[in-house]
Amino acid sequence: MTAGHWLDGTGQVVVPRRFLETTGTEIGDTVRVTVGKETAALRIVGVAFGSAEDQLEIQVNAADFPATKPQVFLVDVKAGVQPTAYAEKLSARIRSLGAEATANSPSRQHNMVLVLNTMAALLTLMLVSVAVSACSTRSSSTPGNAFTTWASARPSAGRPGRP
């Protein structure tokens, strides 16, 4: 979610940012949505970020369209179960119903988060380096800097009382 909230009842819709830009609507506006032969007035309650950002795909509560049957089911398999093998076995069982099961490729979203976190860490290190360099340059060019003060406070290597 990039704004608003997820569906928490009927009469609501979650849309991608592009939907708002294309239709000139915003969170809180009501839009008419038609699914099959049913039409409902739904209030925009949230903006979702997803892979369908280039489409005008919206998320609605199935209760708003009772005559419509689900066309897609998203299934997460348990740890240790191979998604491709599961999809093949499921497809064999549901093919006679005119349906099929496919396994999605692994999400690259996790990799993107890792890349963004790494870039943020590198940027932070670069900023710290620049700040340290600026402080170091300023103090070494100023008379009576920290290095000079430290050097004059060292005991002399010669005899006591002599430089």
Side-chain angles (χ1 to χ4, degrees):
M1 297 297 302
T2 59
H5 63 84
W6 191 250
L7 306 171
D8 59 9
T10 59
Q12 301 175 354
V13 61
V14 172
V15 300
R17 171 111 7 240
R18 186 162 177 257
F19 179 93
L20 300 178
E21 294 166 355
T22 301
T23 61
T25 56
E26 57 188 39
I27 292 177
D29 288 352
T30 300
V31 293
R32 295 181 55 80
V33 176
T34 301
V35 177
K37 294 182 180 182
E38 296 178 282
T39 300
L42 306 175
R43 186 170 49 88
I44 301 172
V45 296
V47 180
F49 174 79
S51 60
E53 195 65 30
D54 59 337
Q55 300 175 14
L56 296 182
E57 185 175 294
I58 62 173
Q59 307 297 318
V60 299
N61 189 320
D64 288 316
F65 303 96
T68 303
K69 303 293 184 225
Q71 296 177 352
V72 176
F73 294 92
L74 301 178
V75 178
D76 286 329
V77 295
K78 292 181 181 179
V81 175
Q82 293 296 320
T84 305
Y86 180 84
E88 288 171 1
K89 288 179 182 177
L90 181 58
S91 252
R93 306 261 335 236
I94 63 174
R95 194 166 286 120
S96 63
L97 302 172
E100 70 173 314
T102 59
N104 289 335
S105 58
S107 171
R108 289 186 235 176
Q109 189 172 21
H110 174 72
N111 293 341
M112 181 57 109
V113 170
L114 181 62
V115 168
L116 291 175
N117 285 343
T118 303
M119 289 173 55
L122 288 173
L123 180 58
T124 302
L125 287 173
M126 289 171 45
L127 290 172
V128 168
S129 297
V130 168
V132 167
S133 175
C135 289
S136 174
T137 302
R138 184 176 57 189
S139 67
S140 65
S141 63
T142 306
N145 64 41
F147 178 74
T148 304
T149 304
W150 173 80
S152 64
R154 288 188 321 177
S156 64
R159 289 181 275 181
R162 294 191 159 192

